[in-house]
Amino acid sequence: MTDRDRTATEDSTGGGFTAGIVQKAIAPLLRVLRDEIASAKREVGQRVAGAKRGLVLTAAGAVLALVAVGLVAALDVTLLMLVVPAWAAVAITLVVFLVAAGILLAVGIRGISRGVPPVPRDTIAAAKNRTEDTGTHARAID
């Protein structure tokens, strides 16, 4: 069998020996790549969930602040008017509600900032470490 016949036979069988070696060499790389993509998806999902919780807390804080101002302010002002002038009663009530609303909004905004932007930092760092370790290992073998 001549070289030309052997080449024709390998081409008709899908690449023969060389294609098998390439496929075996690429398979672990593809598996690692798929694992990294899955890890990144999980991490982004966790960060988005954290941001979602932060948004819910912020909305709840805003709603509670509005409801509290509407329902309790009148009672507080009325009770304080028994002790201090009306303007002082309103001012005291306003300060108390602003402090409570500020605390709730700060906690909610902190939750939002943890999840935005949803970048898979841990997965990226792990991939970089693996790449550096593999490069160091390959240099040591040489």
Side-chain angles (χ1 to χ4, degrees):
M1 181 180 264
T2 66
D3 288 336
R4 179 180 280 170
D5 294 336
R6 199 174 297 123
T7 305
T9 305
E10 286 177 2
D11 289 342
S12 66
T13 60
F17 182 72
T18 306
I21 290 175
V22 170
Q23 190 174 16
K24 286 180 181 178
I26 292 176
L29 296 173
L30 291 174
R31 186 172 44 253
V32 168
L33 182 62
R34 285 186 196 112
D35 291 345
E36 292 299 328
I37 289 171
S39 177
K41 284 181 182 179
R42 279 191 305 273
E43 189 175 345
V44 168
Q46 291 169 349
R47 292 186 183 274
V48 168
K52 184 178 176 182
R53 278 185 240 120
L55 286 171
V56 169
L57 283 173
T58 302
V63 168
L64 285 177
L66 291 173
V67 170
V69 168
L71 297 175
V72 181
L75 176 63
D76 289 344
V77 170
T78 305
L79 291 174
L80 284 171
M81 282 177 38
L82 297 173
V83 181
V84 296
W87 65 266
V90 171
I92 292 169
T93 303
L94 176 64
V95 168
V96 169
F97 285 125
L98 284 176
V99 168
I103 290 170
L104 288 172
L105 290 171
V107 170
I109 289 170
R110 192 175 326 124
I112 292 169
S113 66
R114 277 192 214 126
V116 176
V119 176
R121 291 184 189 115
D122 299 339
T123 301
I124 292 170
K128 283 182 182 178
N129 288 339
R130 255 192 304 278
T131 305
E132 291 170 0
D133 291 345
T134 303
T136 305
H137 180 67
R139 277 187 240 122
I141 293 174
D142 291 340

